[in-house]
Amino acid sequence: MKEDALPAAPLLIQGAMDVETDWLIDCLSHPTEEWEGAWRFVRGEAAGRQLVVSVTGIGMANAAAATALAVRRYRPRAILNQGTAGGYHPDLHRGDLVLGWVMVNLGAFSSPHRDRGAGVCPEQWTPFPVSVGRPGEGRRDCYRLEGDWELLQTALEAAPAHHTGRVAAGVLGTADQWNREVDRIRFLHETLGVWAEEMETFAAAQVAAGLGVPFLGLRILSNHELHGEGYDRTTGLHCQRFVLEVARRLSRSFNQEENLP
């Protein structure tokens, strides 16, 4: 590489909590911790590339802010948002991985008018779209966002040898909620097709789309109410291990494109 050439853009890996990021941070060589207000970033080398591990904090506002700050500061080549989630799909179990080929906002609905005393009828609510798009390219209103196809294919290729549970491309639902009502879980699965519920992916994906950065959500099921499977914090470690292998494969692909060793 020429001395005046810009360094290769890093890969940004996000997680909301320490249990979703500590292992990845420990894998970094020459780590540098940096803060932007309340949001923590740790930069270092791993998987053949510069990585930035972003501890976003829990919830959609934190995820959106951390994503915008990271893109401005680090100019990442791609973003992997990963961590734990609650299961919705009846065929999945705790420890299975859902790769977000589609992401939906579980907190954005429009309800029809009902008179006072008529009660609440969630069955009549419809998804409320959000605006997504880059300036000059037009804006579109949607309630579903798609993950980057190339990132998704790389993650699927890494799955057979690097995760013992099931790995499938599915629909991630995001909201500042933790739903444990079985009927509500079944309703959201049946009406919106949601496979797993978490609290950050859609918000981060919306910002990434607006800034033109390839994005993929990867979530491991840490609990599943339909099967009575309680929360297991060790699932966060298994997800991080899988994501690091995905990052390694992406690094090789990116380096070949950039003619780097």
Side-chain angles (χ1 to χ4, degrees):
M1 182 184 294
K2 296 180 180 179
E3 292 184 359
D4 59 349
L6 292 173
L11 181 63
L12 177 67
I13 302 178
Q14 300 175 311
M17 304 181 292
D18 292 343
V19 71
E20 298 170 335
T21 53
D22 276 352
W23 185 84
L24 283 168
I25 291 171
D26 288 342
C27 290
L28 298 176
S29 60
H30 312 295
T32 301
E33 183 179 62
E34 301 168 339
W35 290 80
E36 286 280 358
W39 294 279
R40 180 189 180 205
F41 305 92
V42 184
R43 180 165 48 93
E45 296 180 9
R49 196 175 188 88
Q50 282 280 325
L51 301 184
V52 176
V53 179
S54 167
V55 187
T56 67
I58 297 171
M60 296 181 72
N62 276 324
T67 303
L69 290 168
V71 172
R72 285 291 187 184
R73 186 180 183 104
Y74 302 106
R75 307 293 181 184
R77 176 70 184 266
I79 300 173
L80 301 177
N81 180 284
Q82 56 84 42
T84 56
Y88 274 27
H89 199 296
D91 292 341
L92 298 178
H93 289 269
R94 185 175 57 198
D96 291 339
L97 275 161
V98 178
L99 310 180
W101 74 275
V102 168
M103 296 148 286
V104 300
N105 187 341
L106 294 182
F109 289 95
S110 175
S111 62
H113 173 79
R114 295 175 69 84
D115 289 336
R116 183 173 181 175
V120 177
C121 188
E123 291 82 0
Q124 294 185 5
W125 298 359
T126 56
F128 192 82
V130 297
S131 295
V132 179
R134 299 181 67 180
E137 297 180 359
R139 305 185 74 84
R140 66 186 189 278
D141 293 333
C142 59
Y143 74 94
R144 295 163 61 95
L145 296 174
E146 295 182 358
D148 181 84
W149 181 252
E150 293 184 7
L151 299 182
L152 175 61
Q153 292 306 304
T154 299
L156 288 171
E157 291 167 4
H162 295 279
H163 188 68
T164 56
R166 181 179 178 184
V167 180
V171 181
L172 294 175
T174 306
D176 288 332
Q177 304 170 8
W178 186 327
N179 291 304
R180 300 192 61 194
E181 298 172 325
V182 170
D183 286 343
R184 178 167 174 78
I185 290 170
R186 293 181 60 187
F187 171 72
L188 291 171
H189 170 66
E190 292 168 1
T191 57
L192 298 181
V194 178
W195 287 35
E197 169 198 286
E198 41 69 41
M199 301 175 69
E200 293 84 29
T201 305
F202 185 92
Q206 183 180 356
V207 174
L211 295 171
V213 182
F215 181 95
L216 182 67
L218 310 92
R219 293 285 171 159
I220 192 167
L221 301 192
S222 58
N223 56 286
H224 203 313
E225 295 295 332
L226 299 185
H227 305 310
E229 298 169 348
Y231 174 72
D232 181 355
R233 65 181 287 115
T234 65
T235 54
L237 172 61
H238 300 314
C239 188
Q240 291 173 80
R241 288 172 171 166
F242 174 73
V243 167
L244 187 63
E245 175 58 28
V246 175
R248 184 174 291 109
R249 291 170 180 253
L250 289 173
S251 295
R252 287 199 294 265
S253 175
F254 293 161
N255 290 345
Q256 288 175 357
E257 293 176 11
E258 298 159 357
N259 295 318
L260 296 175

